[in-house]
Amino acid sequence: MRISRIASLILGFGGSVGVHAFFAPDQEVLSSLRPGPDTVNGRRPNIIFILTDDQDVHLDSLEWMPHVKKHLLDQGTSFTKHYCTTAVCCPSRVTLWTGKAAHNTNITDVNPPYGGYPKFVTQGFNENYLPVWLQQAGYNTYYTGKLFNVHTVDNYNSPYAAGFTTSDFLLDPFTYNYLNSTFRRTGEEPQSYEGEYVTDVLTQKAYSLLDEAVSAEEPFFLTIAPSAPHADIQMSGSILDPDPVFLYGAPVSAMRHEHLFEDVKVPRTKNFNPDEPSGANWLLHLEQQNQTNVDWNDHFYRQRLRALQAVDEMVDGLIERVNQHGIMEDTYIIYSSDNGFHIGQHRLQPGKSCGYEEDINIPFIIRGPGVAANHTTDIVTSHTDLAPTFFDLLGIPQREDFDGTAIPVTRSGLDIESASERRREHVNVEYWGFAGGEGIYGRELHEHNTYKAIRIVGSGYNLYYSIWCNNERELYDMDV
Ligand SMILES: *[C@@H]1O[C@H](CO)[C@@H](O)[C@H](O)[C@H]1NC(C)=O
Ligand SMILES: *[C@@H]1O[C@H](CO)[C@@H](O)[C@H](O)[C@H]1NC(C)=O
Ligand SMILES: *[C@@H]1O[C@H](CO)[C@@H](O)[C@H](O)[C@H]1NC(C)=O
Ligand SMILES: *[C@@H]1O[C@H](CO)[C@@H](O)[C@H](O)[C@H]1NC(C)=O
């Protein structure tokens, strides 16, 4: 993010900005204009959704994934202004699977009592979220990988996550343990994969779920949710236990990738480890990182890129199988992440939880029937829009309680909407609680990391405005 300190001086602390003036018109009119492709080639389409964990746009991670480029970016449309609305796993995932903002799900944290799988269940969402709705609409649903935080080897069956034809979930406390994962497949006991590389285990599971989905000869929605490139965490017990110990380390790659990218470093953008503090609130007290710290964070960065290589290979094999099955013409393939990531920007240690661009602007790439190839659009979209978008693609009538709006993903949809002119131009960003680094330095928690913010992108303006719980305010002109 480029920061305009001048803008922040003019309109910052105590200033009032008429943000409502930027809100875009009327969404209802638009939906009637959009064609609802409930069948493609006379058949109901499938969706394969790849959801990585903590993958950035602004640290250039996608540029190190040649198969994602070849199969998805070159063959599909990339939404360069796609945002998560809460920059941390569980609230963001619940928003994604319900189409509701976190202030409406009341799932505002990763852990109980305010978040995690137990909170998802007590809020009533296990009977009322995307996979359940898809099944009601006649879809088979498959999932492998991480669903939510605090979905554990002890609570996965009380109750079972509803809505899946077959699932093979990664479970806590092994979710982020790259070399000792535990998965649990429908109808079986949890199984440990000690010593195996988690993404390779997940890849085989994804391929076998794809085979299962195709052989059922029903339209399907398959989610593949790798834990890469999240930090490695060795947990002893889950957060529900009396004294859990969480040991954070850099992401771990497969052995075949461990020597790649030896000279690569975090991009040294203008906001990287700046000489003066930047941001607001607790960020203003961060010390500039010394060389030892910067070097280690560069190592952490390389480990992220290395860990993503197995995901990239998974995508390559997936596309090959989709082609072999002869279903490419009927299948949307979507790639995204739950939230973004920062390393060193504003002097921050590796982590997320901030409202700044690195943490909220995330990959969203789609290829499929009618979707333009090798295309990018800068219409403003968010994770709140994904459930409505899936409904739209599959021809399911929109729910009244959706907070988001279907994204026009096809070439004709984008044309009819005349892209940026007709759509909403803002994203509501919100966060509750604390922020913490995930590297080995600066591990103290930053309390009072609670803010509401708005990201606005339109013709002639490109702004981020936030109000913190201590009443500090920031306004940035993102073009400066
Ligand atoms: C994608 O578009 C860019 C620029 O528009 C072009 O240079 C590139 O060759 C295209 N790639 C493919 C695979 O078509
Ligand atoms: C949200 O959840 C918290 C924690 O369980 C609870 O105290 C609060 O009353 C809930 N708020 C609403 C509006 O349901
Ligand atoms: C791997 O996880 C299993 C439980 O699934 C546990 O029994 C075992 O001790 C773990 N191994 C290591 C090396 O941590
Ligand atoms: C560099 O910074 C880290 C984190 O604050 C600190 O632990 C370490 O001692 C520092 N090293 C040097 C050589 O100053």
Side-chain angles (χ1 to χ4, degrees), residues 153 174 177 179-182 191-194 234:
V153 291
F174 306 102
N177 194 326
L179 293 172
N180 193 15
S181 55
T182 291
Q191 190 182 340
S192 169
Y193 293 84
E194 185 171 351
Q234 312 276 330

Side-chain angles (χ1 to χ4, degrees), residues 103 105-108 113-114 119 122-123:
H103 64 259
T105 65
N106 199 19
I107 292 174
T108 57
Y114 303 110
K119 176 72 167 162
T122 56
Q123 287 294 116

Side-chain angles (χ1 to χ4, degrees), residues 193-204:
Y193 293 84
E194 185 171 351
E196 294 182 56
Y197 187 63
V198 63
T199 309
D200 292 342
V201 174
L202 175 123
T203 295
Q204 293 313 314

Side-chain angles (χ1 to χ4, degrees), residues 55-57 59-66 68-69 73 261 301 305 309:
Q55 187 171 0
D56 61 275
V57 167
L59 309 183
D60 298 343
S61 62
L62 287 167
E63 298 188 12
W64 300 90
M65 302 185 77
V68 167
K69 175 165 169 30
L73 287 166
F261 316 135
Y301 177 65
L305 301 181
Q309 298 312 299

Side-chain angles (χ1 to χ4, degrees), residues 184-375:
R184 190 265 168 183
R185 186 181 154 91
T186 303
E188 297 177 6
E189 291 296 306
Q191 190 182 340
S192 169
Y193 293 84
E194 185 171 351
E196 294 182 56
Y197 187 63
V198 63
T199 309
D200 292 342
V201 174
L202 175 123
T203 295
Q204 293 313 314
K205 291 176 177 299
Y207 295 166
S208 100
L209 288 175
L210 176 66
D211 292 346
E212 186 180 328
V214 172
S215 59
E217 297 186 350
E218 295 289 342
F220 67 86
F221 190 109
L222 163 64
T223 306
I224 304 168
S227 43
H230 195 285
D232 183 82
I233 309 179
Q234 312 276 330
M235 301 185 194
S236 81
S238 85
I239 193 83
L240 299 172
D241 294 327
D243 284 308
V245 176
F246 289 12
L247 295 176
Y248 279 79
V252 176
S253 75
M255 265 162 66
R256 63 188 179 280
H257 300 133
E258 66 189 2
H259 297 299
L260 294 173
F261 316 135
E262 284 185 334
D263 301 322
V264 175
K265 293 177 175 175
V266 178
R268 300 304 199 245
T269 48
K270 230 173 14 178
N271 63 4
F272 180 81
N273 201 25
D275 290 339
E276 298 295 326
S278 60
N281 197 350
W282 55 268
L283 282 94
L284 293 173
H285 306 293
L286 294 174
E287 284 180 10
Q288 193 171 31
Q289 294 170 7
N290 64 27
Q291 196 57 48
T292 316
N293 191 161
V294 169
D295 289 346
W296 194 85
N297 287 354
D298 281 332
H299 161 74
F300 187 101
Y301 177 65
R302 288 188 289 274
Q303 289 300 104
R304 281 171 60 84
L305 301 181
R306 291 166 181 154
L308 282 169
Q309 298 312 299
V311 176
D312 199 44
E313 292 173 354
M314 180 274 286
V315 169
D316 192 38
L318 181 76
I319 297 291
E320 188 183 323
R321 282 165 177 78
V322 168
N323 279 323
Q324 281 166 359
H325 284 304
I327 56 168
M328 187 60 92
E329 300 300 305
D330 310 328
T331 305
Y332 296 98
I333 301 172
I334 301 174
Y335 189 97
S336 193
S337 175
D338 50 1
N339 51 260
F341 208 74
H342 56 245
I343 304 177
Q345 297 75 30
H346 313 289
R347 305 180 168 183
L348 287 160
Q349 299 295 343
K352 55 259 188 183
S353 320
C354 293
Y356 304 121
E357 203 70 353
E358 291 83 3
D359 293 20
I360 60 172
N361 187 201
I362 50 179
F364 182 60
I365 310 162
I366 175 165
R367 77 173 274 185
V371 178
N374 195 18
H375 185 62

